[in-house]
Amino acid sequence: MNPDIPLQLLGGISAREFLRDYWQKKPLLIRQALPDFQSPIDADELAGLALEEEVESRIVLENGERPWELRRGPFTEDEFSKLPERDWTLLVQAVDQFVPEVSELLENFRFLSSWRVDDVMISFAVPGGSVGPHFDNYDVFLLQGQGKRHWQIGQMCDSETPLLKHADLRILSDFEATEEWTLEPGDMLYLPPRLAHCGVAVDDCMTYSVGFRAPSAAEVLTHFTDFLSQFLPDEERYTDADVQPVSDPHQIQRDALDRLKSLLAEHMSDERLLLTWFGQFMTEPRYPELVVGPELEEEDLFLSLEQGAILIRNPSARLAWSEVDDDLLLFASGQSRLLPGNLRELLKLICAADALHSENLGPWLADDYGRNLLCELVKQGSLGFADE
Ligand SMILES: [Mn+2]
């Protein structure tokens, strides 16, 4: 993808301009980002997903048993039939993992790293339906899929911003609308993290939220140090050889702090471990229970491929790759594997291809590392047979 070509998706500016001027900085309204967009799923199908055990869903009723009542799925058909005519919203998380046509929408966002994408959440609302004014800590593209939704944006928020007293929802107690628009199918609104916003359904409407993920600084520190500590032997400790006699035995001296800082710096600057941790962390699946594979012999896999079998990425799996010195790392659903540098094109193919078969795998099927890698990915559940 040429980053300098103007894109309809971004309202006629290029990916480079969008990232420079808007991404993580300010909102952008794009009329007809996807012209003539037709939602690949309808309200009944979305409600159908919300009946499923493995799908995360919520309903927010503005005037339920209490203001802004939150109900968590899975729901029953009976519950849906008893909902009022107005003022409720159904939200279904990670629809891209369950509906391939929704996952295909993500192809439009390939100018951003795929490991930054969280999921495509779809909400359906009846007239007046809203989840209240709030802010999120991540970037989001709000694509109108069906009907009309009125959006207002407001102030930048942070953890000090006052919220309503509510057990489950983070609703702003003061929302100061600065701009507003009504979005129609195909229109899209980009919002940077922490910008207050409020969307209210004008009629029966469906909105797609392409959400991004970014670990918090607290997550980075706690998870990386947990990961790191597995590799540190118990005998490696704070040391103070050549310490000077102390003048006051109760004082913690400056040199102790320096020793601690160098202990931390030595480990925190281990780039190979940092990369390994980060790749594993960012590819952890949302639903690990949906990433499981069969027992499989390498020979059987290759016999099947030679006979025309097709491997596809498990929609619940996440894949990424990286370079480390002359080697490569493949990250697959929370695991990593160090591989020789000549497998670069295979890793790119595995991460990007819609389907893997004897034709596009070609010579890799004769490569021992390549064969073993493919087999392990099937056994792990990140790849699966297309007909299953
Ligand atoms: Mn939001």
Side-chain angles (χ1 to χ4, degrees), residues 42-257:
D42 63 24
D44 284 340
E45 289 164 323
L46 191 71
L49 277 176
L51 308 178
E52 304 285 337
E53 188 68 47
E54 69 266 28
V55 177
E56 257 176 271
S57 58
R58 293 166 290 163
I59 290 174
V60 176
L61 290 105
E62 188 166 348
N63 311 299
E65 284 183 10
R66 55 197 163 274
W68 303 110
E69 183 190 346
L70 173 70
R71 296 182 190 167
R72 292 178 199 277
F75 298 103
T76 61
E77 292 191 27
D78 194 44
E79 282 172 279
F80 277 114
S81 65
K82 289 184 176 141
L83 287 167
E85 277 181 24
R86 286 187 56 92
D87 305 340
W88 59 265
T89 304
L90 164 70
L91 304 112
V92 181
Q93 219 68 49
V95 181
D96 53 305
Q97 292 192 27
F98 304 102
V99 182
E101 293 84 356
V102 173
S103 167
E104 282 166 23
L105 264 183
L106 294 171
E107 293 301 320
N108 292 294
F109 298 91
R110 289 297 175 225
F111 56 92
L112 291 157
S113 299
S114 63
W115 48 264
R116 281 281 270 122
V117 176
D118 190 2
D119 70 337
V120 182
M121 189 260 284
I122 302 184
S123 67
F124 171 77
V126 291
S130 168
V131 299
H134 67 280
F135 71 97
D136 303 298
N137 280 308
Y138 45 80
D139 310 82
V140 66
F141 290 92
L142 299 160
L143 171 69
Q144 194 57 23
Q146 179 204 314
K148 293 186 189 129
R149 187 184 287 266
H150 189 73
W151 283 103
Q152 293 181 312
I153 58 167
Q155 72 275 28
M156 283 306 249
C157 303
D158 58 32
S159 50
E160 306 290 305
T161 305
L163 303 176
L164 292 187
K165 278 198 171 52
H166 193 291
D168 310 298
L169 296 175
R170 294 163 54 243
I171 297 174
L172 298 172
S173 39
D174 305 299
F175 176 62
E176 304 144 23
T178 54
E179 277 188 274
E180 52 194 293
W181 308 277
T182 299
L183 270 69
E184 301 197 15
D187 292 346
M188 189 166 76
L189 179 60
Y190 164 73
L191 299 179
R194 302 192 314 280
L195 183 73
H197 54 282
C198 182
V200 181
V202 176
D203 45 17
D204 281 3
C205 93
M206 202 182 278
T207 303
Y208 287 59
S209 303
V210 179
F212 289 76
R213 53 211 285 268
S216 68
E219 279 178 305
V220 171
L221 285 167
T222 54
H223 289 260
F224 177 53
T225 50
D226 269 356
F227 174 81
L228 201 56
S229 60
Q230 307 168 61
F231 303 98
L232 300 179
D234 194 42
E235 64 271 20
E236 187 180 338
R237 287 181 179 249
Y238 172 86
T239 56
D240 52 4
D242 300 327
V243 69
Q244 296 298 309
V246 294
S247 55
D248 180 336
H250 307 296
Q251 184 184 3
I252 295 173
Q253 302 274 4
R254 173 77 218 183
D255 64 341
L257 203 58

Side-chain angles (χ1 to χ4, degrees), residues 302 304-311 346 349 353 355-365 374:
F302 292 96
S304 311
L305 284 169
E306 278 162 25
Q307 289 167 351
I310 291 173
L311 292 176
L346 177 61
L349 181 69
L356 298 167
H357 40 73
S358 59
E359 256 172 67
N360 62 1
L361 287 169
W364 298 115
L365 294 179
L374 287 165

